[in-house]
């Protein structure tokens, strides 16, 4: 190859085939969900630890639930345990696989929840929810489920996430139950005013 000869690097499709290529990519993404479950099953046989698309924590009878991703889920579990000791039927759903989004499975896991907090550790700048909020709300809508839902942006830039701060989210859900009013549905947690 000479320096002055043009060449293409990476995937290439002429305009006549772009739609078909995109559809094939989507099918591959859909197939990835089962691949993730298959790999998790193999890992369980090796390690004894079970991982699925998400983890349900104390969700069996939860009226109030929090959906969260990542390391803050540990703090969320501590919060749920504290609230359970106080008689609050709290639960937590920890998302493990974001793409492809397991919408139907998550909707099934949340079908009995009455009050829901969705925790986004990022900002989407759409003005009404974070990326996890958008996915969860879409999943619930498609399943015709309508829990009272608040979406929180939290922990940006390493801001501390504590049991107390997450407990305040459940307090907000209880206020929604008591008043029947959602108020602002997209909120910031532990932000200085």
């Amino acid at each position: 190859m000479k320096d002055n000869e043009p060449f293409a690097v990476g995937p290439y499709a002429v305009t006549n085939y772009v739609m078909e290529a995109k559809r094939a990519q989507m099918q591959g993404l859909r197939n990835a969900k089962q691949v993730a479950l298959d790999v998790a099953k193999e890992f369980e046989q090796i390690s004894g630890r079970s991982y699925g698309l998400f983890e349900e924590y104390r969700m069996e009878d939860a009226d109030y639930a929090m959906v969260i991703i990542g390391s803050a889920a540990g703090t969320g579990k501590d919060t749920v345990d504290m609230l359970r000791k106080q008689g609050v039927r709290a639960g937590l759903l920890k998302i493990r696989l974001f793409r492809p989004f397991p919408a139907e499975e998550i909707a099934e896991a949340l079908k009995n929840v009455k009050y829901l907090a969705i925790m986004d550790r990022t900002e989407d700048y759409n003005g009404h929810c974070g990326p996890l909020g958008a996915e969860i709300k879409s999943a619930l809508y498609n399943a015709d489920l309508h829990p009272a839902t608040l979406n929180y942006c939290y922990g940006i830039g390493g801001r501390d996430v504590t049991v107390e701060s997450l407990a305040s989210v459940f307090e907000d859900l209880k206020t929604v139950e008591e008043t029947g009013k959602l108020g602002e549905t997209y909120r910031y947690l532990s932000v200085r005013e």
Side-chain angles (χ1 to χ4, degrees):
M1 175 180 353
K2 297 178 183 171
D3 290 339
N4 61 353
E5 291 180 4
F7 64 97
V9 177
Y12 174 73
V14 294
T15 56
N16 295 350
Y17 296 101
V18 172
M19 287 292 291
E20 289 75 14
K22 290 299 177 185
R23 183 170 183 260
Q25 285 176 324
M26 182 55 68
Q27 189 58 51
L29 183 66
R30 288 183 179 134
N31 293 344
K33 189 188 299 184
Q34 187 59 52
V35 171
L37 291 171
D38 293 344
V39 170
K41 189 171 226 44
E42 289 177 30
F43 184 74
E44 182 179 7
Q45 292 170 348
I46 295 167
S47 68
R49 290 178 286 177
S50 176
Y51 296 99
L53 305 173
F54 51 85
E55 175 187 353
E56 295 180 65
Y57 186 74
R58 302 191 82 169
M59 288 292 294
E60 59 281 348
D61 64 345
D63 289 328
Y64 308 92
M66 176 178 285
V67 179
I68 198 163
I69 297 177
S71 62
T75 305
K77 290 176 186 179
D78 291 342
T79 306
V80 166
D81 289 342
M82 179 190 78
L83 293 171
R84 284 285 179 156
K85 287 178 186 172
Q86 297 170 7
V88 178
R89 289 171 31 177
L92 181 137
L93 198 72
K94 177 184 178 182
I95 305 297
R96 293 189 199 262
L97 181 71
F98 192 72
R99 289 287 182 256
F101 195 75
E104 295 85 10
E105 296 88 348
I106 288 172
E108 178 66 23
L110 296 173
K111 70 180 178 185
N112 296 317
V113 169
K114 297 174 184 152
Y115 303 93
L116 180 64
I118 305 166
M119 309 302 292
D120 269 294
R121 202 167 196 163
T122 187
E123 175 59 85
D124 202 21
Y125 298 110
N126 65 24
H128 63 93
C129 67
L132 182 59
E135 295 291 343
I136 296 290
K137 289 176 182 184
S138 176
L140 294 172
Y141 177 85
N142 289 342
D144 200 25
L145 299 172
H146 307 284
T149 303
L150 301 176
N151 191 189
Y152 289 83
C153 180
Y154 78 101
I156 302 291
R159 179 72 48 99
D160 282 343
V161 180
T162 64
V163 169
E164 293 76 21
S165 65
L166 294 183
S168 75
V169 170
F170 284 99
E171 285 300 318
D172 289 348
L173 293 176
K174 287 166 68 176
T175 299
V176 169
E177 178 183 31
E178 292 164 6
T179 65
K181 297 179 182 175
L182 282 171
E184 180 62 47
T185 59
Y186 187 44
R187 304 174 181 201
Y188 288 82
L189 184 63
S190 302
V191 67
R192 292 186 289 271
E193 297 294 334

